[in-house]
Amino acid sequence: AFLHWMGNCFAGSADRDSALHWLTKTLMGAATENQAFKMLDGSGLSPKNLISASNMTAFLHLLTLARPDKNFWEWIPEFLPVPEKSRSPGTKCSLRLKSGSMERVKAYAGYCMRGEQPAYAISIMVNNFVAEPAAVKRRISSFLVDLDELLCK
């Protein structure tokens, strides 16, 4: 649904092929590692696709510059850390992150928010991990809480 919404908002058509064409063209223009980008379908974690964390953060940053009037980040859920590590009281920022996972892959992408506006684009991807998925999720959550507090100082 997010791909179709972006296509409608930025390319003028919610058609899947039009949205993918716009996404590919935009990401290729924003990508710092064009060899690390290949989009064959709309699934962010599909094994057919290739996108680096650098590509994703460049793209997210570009979206905030291209259409500041479209608060698309409101569609991205607020990140809720695992109970073992919660935010410090009085933290002024929040994270809006979309998660994705498949076998031995866990990823988050979105924004560190200051008030209602994105302050930083964030992307973290862990591939081919051998730990239990719950342990990986806890470690990523702990890292993101620390990052959020560091960026909000």
Side-chain angles (χ1 to χ4, degrees):
F2 189 61
L3 174 71
H4 296 285
W5 180 85
M6 284 194 322
N8 190 46
C9 180
F10 295 101
S13 172
D15 173 69
R16 181 183 170 277
D17 289 337
S18 296
L20 279 173
H21 175 74
W22 170 83
L23 180 65
T24 300
K25 180 180 168 190
T26 303
L27 273 173
M28 286 301 286
T32 56
E33 313 165 33
N34 288 340
Q35 311 87 307
F37 176 76
K38 182 178 181 182
M39 186 66 69
L40 297 177
D41 64 23
S43 170
L45 289 176
S46 170
K48 297 176 184 176
N49 296 326
L50 179 62
I51 186 167
S52 70
S54 176
N55 292 148
M56 182 58 74
T57 53
F59 175 67
L60 290 169
H61 178 69
L62 178 73
L63 285 179
T64 61
L65 297 176
R67 294 299 298 264
D69 59 319
K70 301 289 185 184
N71 296 346
F72 59 88
W73 49 83
E74 293 175 357
W75 286 45
I76 303 171
E78 185 171 349
F79 173 73
L80 301 173
V82 293
E84 288 85 0
K85 177 132 186 183
S86 59
R87 291 185 180 103
S88 299
T91 300
K92 296 182 179 99
C93 294
S94 65
L95 296 174
R96 287 192 168 271
L97 300 171
K98 173 67 179 98
S99 66
S101 61
M102 57 188 223
E103 188 175 350
R104 295 177 42 198
V105 176
K106 186 69 179 163
Y108 290 90
Y111 298 98
C112 176
M113 306 291 291
R114 282 217 176 113
E116 298 298 316
Q117 297 297 314
Y120 301 97
I122 299 169
S123 180
I124 182 169
M125 301 176 187
V126 180
N127 293 310
N128 296 317
F129 60 80
V130 294
E132 290 295 318
V136 172
K137 185 176 181 179
R138 280 192 307 273
R139 296 293 293 267
I140 293 172
S141 180
S142 178
F143 170 77
L144 288 169
V145 168
D146 289 344
L147 179 65
D148 188 31
E149 290 182 358
L150 177 70
L151 293 175
C152 290
K153 286 188 176 188

